[in-house]
Amino acid sequence: MAKIHVTMKVNGAEVEGLVEPRTLLVHFIRENLQLTGTHIGCETTHCGACTVDIDGMSVKSCTMFAIQANGSDITTIEGMANADGTLSHLQEGFRQMHGLQCGYCTPGMIVRAHRLLQENPAPTEDEIRAGIAGNICRCTGYQNIVKAIQYAAAKAKGVEFKEAAE
Amino acid sequence: MNDLTPTREQRTAALEGMGCKRKRVEDIRFTQGKGNYVDDVKLPGMLHGDFVRSPHAHARVKSINTDEALKVPGVLAVITAETLKTVNLAWMPTLAGDVQMVLADGKVLFQNQEVAFVVATDRYAADDGVSKVVVDYEALPVLVDPFKSMAPDAPVLREDLAGKTTGAHGPRKHHNHIFEWSVGDKELTDAAFNKAEVTIKEMISYHRTHPSPLETCQCVCSFDKIKGELTIWGTFQAPHVIRTVVALIAKLPEQKIHVISPDIGGGFGNKVGAYPGYICAAVASIVTGKPVKWVEDRIENLTATSFARDYHMTTEIAATKDGKVTGLRVHVLADHGAFDACADPSKWPAGFFNIVTGSYDFPVAHLTVDGVYSNKAPGGVAYRCSFRVTEAAYCIERAMDILAQKLGMDPAELRLKNFIRREQFPYHSALGWEYDSGDYHTAMRKMMESTDYAALRKEQAEKREAFKRGETREVMGLGVSFFTEIVGAGPSKNCDILGIAMFDSCEIRMHPTGAGIARMGTKSQGQGHETTWAQIIASEIGIPADNIMVEEGNTDTAPYGLGTYGSRSTPVAGAAIAMAARKIKAKAQMIAAYKLEVHEDDLEWDIDGFRVKGLPEKFMSMKDICWAAYNSVPPGMEPGLEAVSYYDPPNMTYPFGAYLCVMDIDVDTGVYKVRRFYALDDCGTRINPMIIEGQVHGGLTEAFAIAMGQEIRYDDGGNVVTGSFMDFFMPTAVETPRWETDFTVTPSPHHPIGAKGVGESPNVGGVPAFSNAVNDAFSFLGSTHIQMPHDYWRNWKAAKSLGVLG
Ligand code: FES
Ligand code: FES
């Protein structure tokens, strides 16, 4: 199949590649760019493991063709840490609050939560739950994921998050 | 001593040993997207395989034409059963003693069965190839209802078994019969029923469902022709077992097979068995000389690799009028699908279902299980439970509620009346198990006090009156569940897999600087072994957990182990860790005695080193002993500090717990709300309370999913109608209830650190709690048992059939 040239910015770096028109963005990210932190749990837009941030929106990258992302600005889990390489508040929150087990949903969860907190820096528990409803976790039962996001929201405001992981 | 000398508390805390809510070491990589899962493995020249699957549930395969597929750019090979026959791999043995087609050999027996394997340069080309393979099918009559499997005129499913009147587990009664398994004393049980004052009987079904970890089953196989070596990266919960199975069926020397389980994205039992994808990828690598990756998609996962449950349990309890149970009789019809690919220890065709007497002192019991074939996917696996234990717990917990209803007793009171008492442990159950320890009354009373059970019952009574008066359309249910699990398979006297005893192992090597590595026969799929195993070692030998690296999943470096499933890691491997650590400590004591110039018996252990009794300043830390082990051991002693333990447990462990679910259901819509869910778990000694709580949250969420809607459902034509995350209930953060957790601690008397295992308890205990809540909500309207799953529609149907919808 004829290939098409695409360029985009991923985690701040200009990247390019040749893709078939049908190549899913998630495959472009994982196979061409070798950024394997973005996971695949269903390929049918149900699980959110493949969530990346595109031009300020959370997008399930199995739902988009790579050519549709041509020219866009993408952040994946690999671009979530602080500039100095330390864990971001969200990443630290997931660790402190035991918000992950197998870690398979985690990149998508963190990328999604990042956008959620951009849009709503002080979400209620219900808003967090609704905000991550596109991301399935099979391991944690979500309770500690909610706390991880609350932890990050508190940290961003410079306050200590009190509640310890149970 | 001065102000800078750490206190004993500080020294203990610095170890981050058992009991510490140590943060997980795995999370550093997982939160940054730096895990290494199977699909992340990329090898030079790697090919991709994909399956042609059957659209039919039962059909003869008249021909397979691969000509057009082979013309597709990028397609290199199409493997069929004919190809596999040349290497004698068209069929493979199952763990349950049956055989299973790897690729359709003459017929297909379930929808989405593997028919051909297309190998191509990338996954898109493989998929193109799949669409060009032409298969000519002749449809055959389909059998989906297990209750019709043994009808005289039922279609013959397994033609390969024609004339075989005996299977792996004894006589077969019918061409679709697999085994009959019978335990207990039938005569005594029948006698108890004959003189019973009260009996109940109910057919309690536990529907077919699926473990569905977020990462599907996958592998990369790479055969090196020159060396004759096969390396397999796979999502394996039991990598050593896979190596041995490959050695046995592919006739490769076992030392030339390297099995690697990298990070695994959840397992829940789905990744215990061997699937056609693994065999086909291995054969494809041998045929093409290139590495071959196989990654199952979600629909394939739900419809083809191992379902769970599908147990239909006719349950009877005999009791006295005042509620003392006197006998239990259970018959199970077990639907295994097209092949018996049940992942149980080999001698246990129905797993440990004979734990069905539960937490109660049944003087007599009798159980029979009939396994049958149907045109459904083969299995079944233990979905977050020890083998068939969740079915058993559901069976007895539902039945106890039904008995309570018949007697007009409170379900909690009935349980309290019949519990095995603390002083009866070790307790021999009527169906043959020896329960190690328990304190059921304390756990149950703690649950009742913590939830103010009496007040909830009072509120329920008031709501029922209000409902009858027409003031509300909501009914309230209290789901009580008290479960006893049997985990930690298991003792070699009764557990093996294909002849290999179900021990587990740990090898610890201490390095000169006071750090070390522990290698394990287990394999975490999210349980956090890298964190908790180091905690056990830290407490045992006084080296900080941070200085111990835990490595799992590489069969070349790890000692042989049976893997992680059935909550066996802590009971079996956790014990192996403690035993290996104690060997290290024993040698360390000899070294310390030599260095401190005293007799070994004059030393006592003190948190992180040895101290001379009565001379507190004469102390040698474990860190210093590690150094000494490499330069100044006593004369005659070998240098180094390492140990290995293969632990064959003397018994299983028996975790237990008391759960309560409070639920409100709107009868007009069937919509339920879980108002409250309280889970008290007793898993013996608690290694990392944070991780235990996390396991409980996760298990409860899976229990919630199963009880309230998660089902693999077939229509009459054998089509799977719940084959994607759209139709297969996957709770999100919005539906998932809030969990309240609690605990008691009753250590296992036979386990070196007293731990019992917890990962699966919440699934085992959770399902009956939810189901009992729904049933309890409707019981005052005259229903005795409503089958799971309890989704809105079925709740509405239940209300309708009870005549409350006007
Ligand atoms: S892989 Fe994209 S939503 Fe599941
Ligand atoms: S941590 Fe395993 S799926 Fe979320």
Side-chain angles (χ1 to χ4, degrees):
Chain A
M1 209 172 280
K3 297 208 169 173
I4 296 164
H5 184 247
V6 292
T7 59
M8 54 193 92
K9 197 189 235 184
V10 177
N11 302 329
E14 293 295 340
V15 299
E16 59 177 342
L18 285 175
V19 297
E20 291 182 26
R22 63 178 175 172
T23 302
L24 297 176
L25 177 59
V26 68
H27 290 141
F28 179 71
I29 291 170
R30 288 181 48 81
E31 310 289 333
N32 298 47
L33 304 181
Q34 307 255 328
L35 293 171
T36 54
T38 302
H39 294 154
I40 298 172
C42 69
E43 287 176 326
T44 51
T45 322
H46 293 119
C47 78
C50 63
T51 304
V52 298
D53 200 79
I54 303 183
D55 298 331
M57 279 198 316
S58 298
V59 174
K60 293 177 178 176
S61 60
C62 72
T63 307
M64 198 165 170
F65 295 116
I67 51 169
Q68 291 176 292
N70 196 15
S72 55
D73 187 349
I74 297 180
T75 310
T76 69
I77 185 65
E78 287 88 349
M80 281 286 142
N82 298 325
D84 64 356
T86 55
L87 295 187
S88 70
H89 292 323
L90 264 171
Q91 290 170 318
E92 192 55 43
F94 271 73
R95 178 157 192 260
Q96 291 298 328
M97 294 298 116
H98 190 31
L100 66 154
Q101 291 180 25
C102 78
Y104 204 75
C105 71
T106 312
M109 282 285 183
I110 289 178
V111 172
R112 170 60 203 139
H114 167 76
R115 181 53 47 198
L116 173 68
L117 292 182
Q118 299 287 311
E119 291 164 354
N120 181 358
T124 63
E125 176 176 347
D126 283 344
E127 285 168 348
I128 292 174
R129 285 181 180 262
I132 58 168
N135 293 64
I136 288 172
C137 176
R138 292 289 290 136
C139 300
T140 65
Y142 304 105
Q143 198 151 313
N144 290 342
I145 292 180
V146 171
K147 282 188 196 161
I149 298 170
Q150 289 170 331
Y151 172 101
K155 281 275 172 172
K157 285 207 291 284
V159 298
E160 244 357 87
F161 181 63
K162 285 281 167 9
E163 194 164 9
E166 280 181 44
Chain B
M1 291 240 202
N2 57 39
D3 288 350
L4 295 176
T5 309
T7 63
R8 303 194 81 240
E9 288 69 31
Q10 285 166 336
R11 282 162 60 207
T12 305
L15 297 178
E16 293 199 279
M18 285 196 283
C20 167
K21 295 181 179 179
R22 181 176 186 228
K23 302 296 176 247
R24 300 197 333 161
V25 295
E26 295 88 341
D27 296 355
I28 303 289
R29 65 177 189 276
F30 290 158
T31 54
Q32 300 187 74
K34 296 293 184 197
N36 183 35
Y37 301 86
V38 174
D39 200 15
D40 303 342
V41 174
K42 291 186 176 50
L43 302 176
M46 189 173 75
L47 306 175
H48 292 258
D50 198 1
F51 281 112
V52 175
R53 292 178 180 272
S54 167
H56 296 276
H58 194 196
R60 212 162 288 293
V61 176
K62 293 170 72 184
S63 68
I64 302 174
N65 187 327
T66 62
D67 296 348
E68 290 304 311
L70 286 165
K71 289 183 198 154
V72 171
V75 171
L76 296 169
V78 181
I79 293 171
T80 63
E82 296 311 311
T83 331
L84 294 179
K85 279 180 190 169
T86 63
V87 284
N88 220 358
L89 284 174
W91 292 69
M92 62 179 182
T94 71
L95 294 177
D98 197 357
V99 288
Q100 173 178 355
M101 288 179 209
V102 174
L103 289 171
D105 184 14
K107 70 190 289 199
V108 288
L109 287 159
F110 64 96
Q111 189 182 52
N112 275 0
Q113 185 177 337
E114 301 81 359
V115 175
F117 191 67
V118 177
V119 188
T121 47
D122 66 68
R123 56 184 94 206
Y124 289 79
D127 197 49
D128 290 342
V130 166
S131 67
K132 295 288 184 199
V133 174
V134 181
V135 186
D136 188 12
Y137 297 99
E138 176 192 315
L140 295 169
V142 173
L143 176 66
V144 288
D145 180 356
F147 287 92
K148 295 186 181 145
S149 283
M150 290 205 282
D153 58 347
V156 177
L157 304 191
R158 293 289 300 277
E159 287 162 18
D160 61 299
L161 299 179
K164 289 205 173 138
T165 52
T166 312
H169 304 284
R172 299 171 66 223
K173 299 186 275 206
H174 180 276
H175 54 258
N176 294 328
H177 185 241
I178 310 171
F179 63 84
E180 181 188 291
W181 189 58
S182 179
V183 196
D185 192 319
K186 184 169 177 348
E187 255 170 61
L188 284 180
T189 307
D190 289 348
F193 274 85
N194 288 340
K195 58 173 195 276
E197 293 169 358
V198 181
T199 60
I200 59 123
K201 180 174 185 176
E202 190 66 56
M203 206 290 286
I204 299 168
S205 271
Y206 198 142
H207 57 282
R208 182 175 275 239
T209 182
H210 195 282
S212 202
L214 199 56
E215 174 201 46
T216 58
C217 298
Q218 26 199 280
C219 69
V220 178
C221 295
S222 180
F223 185 69
D224 182 327
K225 276 209 167 92
I226 310 289
K227 294 190 196 152
E229 294 183 13
L230 177 65
T231 306
I232 309 176
W233 291 260
T235 47
F236 306 134
Q237 293 182 226
H240 281 101
V241 176
I242 293 284
R243 186 184 72 191
T244 302
V245 168
V246 172
L248 292 173
I249 67 175
K251 308 269 186 302
L252 284 171
E254 197 166 349
Q255 82 278 14
K256 295 199 171 189
I257 305 167
H258 315 289
V259 177
I260 300 165
S261 292
D263 290 325
I264 297 185
F268 316 121
N270 197 181
K271 295 168 179 171
V272 174
Y275 299 119
Y278 308 154
I279 309 277
C280 288
V283 170
S285 181
I286 293 169
V287 168
T288 61
K290 300 253 176 70
V292 176
K293 179 184 274 188
W294 169 68
V295 175
E296 149 188 91
D297 71 25
R298 180 56 57 189
I299 293 168
E300 295 176 304
N301 175 254
L302 287 170
T303 57
T305 48
S306 281
F307 75 92
R309 327 298 194 226
D310 219 340
Y311 257 37
H312 308 279
M313 309 171 286
T314 302
T315 312
E316 297 170 85
I317 298 179
T320 62
K321 279 200 299 272
D322 60 352
K324 195 89 187 122
V325 296
T326 55
L328 176 71
R329 194 157 59 192
V330 183
H331 176 265
V332 180
L333 183 66
D335 184 344
H336 286 265
F339 309 96
D340 184 4
C342 204
D344 288 331
S346 298
K347 290 193 213 55
W348 299 85
F352 305 150
F353 189 85
N354 54 331
I355 193 74
V356 69
T357 51
S359 314
Y360 312 106
D361 189 11
F362 277 98
V364 292
H366 186 248
L367 160 71
T368 44
V369 183
D370 276 303
V372 295
Y373 293 120
S374 69
N375 288 124
K376 300 187 203 164
V381 296
Y383 171 5
R384 201 166 185 147
C385 72
S386 191
F387 317 99
R388 301 295 186 184
V389 172
T390 185
E391 289 93 327
Y394 181 61
C395 174
I396 187 65
E397 286 308 288
R398 194 73 270 289
M400 287 301 274
D401 262 30
I402 294 168
L403 176 63
Q405 188 181 352
K406 177 140 186 183
L407 293 165
M409 260 177 99
D410 183 273
E413 285 307 319
L414 178 70
R415 284 170 172 82
L416 283 165
K417 183 157 197 159
N418 288 289
F419 278 150
I420 301 160
R421 294 184 315 279
R422 188 171 51 188
E423 62 276 13
Q424 286 176 282
F425 292 92
Y427 172 82
H428 292 267
S429 77
L431 292 178
W433 294 116
E434 185 190 307
Y435 293 27
D436 60 350
S437 64
D439 185 353
Y440 299 165
H441 288 91
T442 301
M444 188 71 157
R445 291 203 175 103
K446 188 168 182 189
M447 179 279 274
M448 292 170 77
E449 278 160 30
S450 306
T451 57
D452 204 349
Y453 180 79
L456 288 166
R457 279 290 177 209
K458 193 159 161 275
E459 181 192 345
Q460 182 189 42
E462 284 159 9
K463 272 196 107 169
R464 285 177 172 180
E465 289 311 312
F467 184 91
K468 287 183 201 154
R469 291 193 301 268
E471 292 162 15
T472 176
R473 298 295 286 161
E474 221 174 53
V475 291
M476 172 180 171
L478 295 185
V480 177
S481 158
F482 195 101
F483 65 93
T484 294
E485 267 206 290
I486 171 169
V487 303
S492 57
K493 60 178 185 255
N494 46 25
C495 292
D496 71 275
I497 286 186
L498 304 173
I500 300 166
M502 291 182 73
F503 58 83
D504 224 295
S505 60
C506 169
E507 179 204 86
I508 303 174
R509 283 190 195 168
M510 297 311 298
H511 309 320
T513 55
I517 181 168
R519 293 193 163 113
M520 306 292 308
T522 48
K523 178 62 214 172
S524 174
Q525 310 117 41
Q527 294 90 338
H529 292 171
E530 289 168 52
T531 305
T532 47
W533 293 162
Q535 290 182 259
I536 298 176
I537 297 169
S539 286
E540 289 286 340
I541 66 169
I543 291 287
D546 274 349
N547 293 2
I548 304 289
M549 180 169 129
V550 174
E551 188 186 275
E552 294 183 314
N554 183 335
T555 56
D556 284 345
T557 55
Y560 202 105
L562 276 282
T564 294
Y565 44 86
S567 278
R568 65 185 299 281
S569 295
T570 294
V572 191
I577 297 167
M579 300 313 269
R582 287 172 196 183
K583 290 183 191 176
I584 299 254
K585 197 166 157 183
K587 183 170 179 182
Q589 185 164 1
M590 290 192 256
I591 297 171
Y594 174 68
K595 298 290 286 183
L596 294 169
E597 299 178 331
V598 294
H599 190 273
E600 276 172 55
D601 294 346
D602 296 330
L603 292 178
E604 61 188 2
W605 179 251
D606 181 22
I607 301 173
D608 50 10
F610 285 99
R611 191 178 299 288
V612 179
K613 289 178 194 163
L615 289 173
E617 69 288 352
K618 288 199 83 179
F619 176 80
M620 190 170 186
S621 71
M622 195 67 186
K623 184 167 189 270
D624 292 341
I625 296 170
C626 287
W627 185 258
Y630 289 87
N631 60 34
S632 49
V633 294
M637 178 187 273
E638 290 180 11
L641 194 53
E642 59 183 70
V644 56
S645 168
Y646 283 79
Y647 187 79
D648 180 6
N651 190 3
M652 310 277 189
T653 60
Y654 298 76
F656 58 93
Y659 291 2
L660 182 73
C661 173
V662 186
M663 194 186 287
D664 300 299
I665 304 172
D666 181 307
V667 293
D668 295 312
T669 60
V671 172
Y672 57 82
K673 280 202 203 72
V674 178
R675 195 198 304 178
R676 202 170 168 192
F677 198 104
Y678 170 93
L680 177 148
D681 274 281
D682 191 321
C683 59
T685 304
R686 293 157 66 84
I687 300 166
N688 182 327
M690 176 189 84
I691 286 181
I692 291 173
E693 299 306 311
Q695 290 288 309
V696 173
H697 290 176
L700 290 175
T701 305
E702 289 184 345
F704 166 69
I706 295 166
M708 305 315 283
Q710 192 178 78
E711 181 181 24
I712 295 292
R713 194 170 179 77
Y714 287 79
D715 69 12
D716 293 344
N719 303 295
V720 185
V721 296
T722 53
S724 82
F725 278 171
M726 188 66 114
D727 319 288
F728 184 74
F729 179 44
M730 264 301 142
T732 73
V734 172
E735 296 87 37
T736 302
R738 276 55 157 185
W739 310 116
E740 293 170 54
T741 55
D742 205 346
F743 63 96
T744 54
V745 177
T746 311
S748 168
H750 63 77
H751 188 281
I753 58 170
K756 287 187 170 187
V758 75
E760 296 160 340
S761 298
N763 198 331
V764 171
V767 171
F770 285 109
S771 184
N772 280 346
V774 173
N775 276 286
D776 186 61
F778 285 114
S779 64
F780 78 110
L781 300 169
S783 83
T784 46
H785 178 67
I786 301 163
Q787 301 288 13
M788 286 196 292
H790 305 292
D791 52 33
Y792 298 159
W793 175 66
R794 286 182 176 93
N795 289 343
W796 177 84
K797 275 210 322 188
K800 187 165 160 44
S801 72
L802 292 168
V804 294
L805 296 190

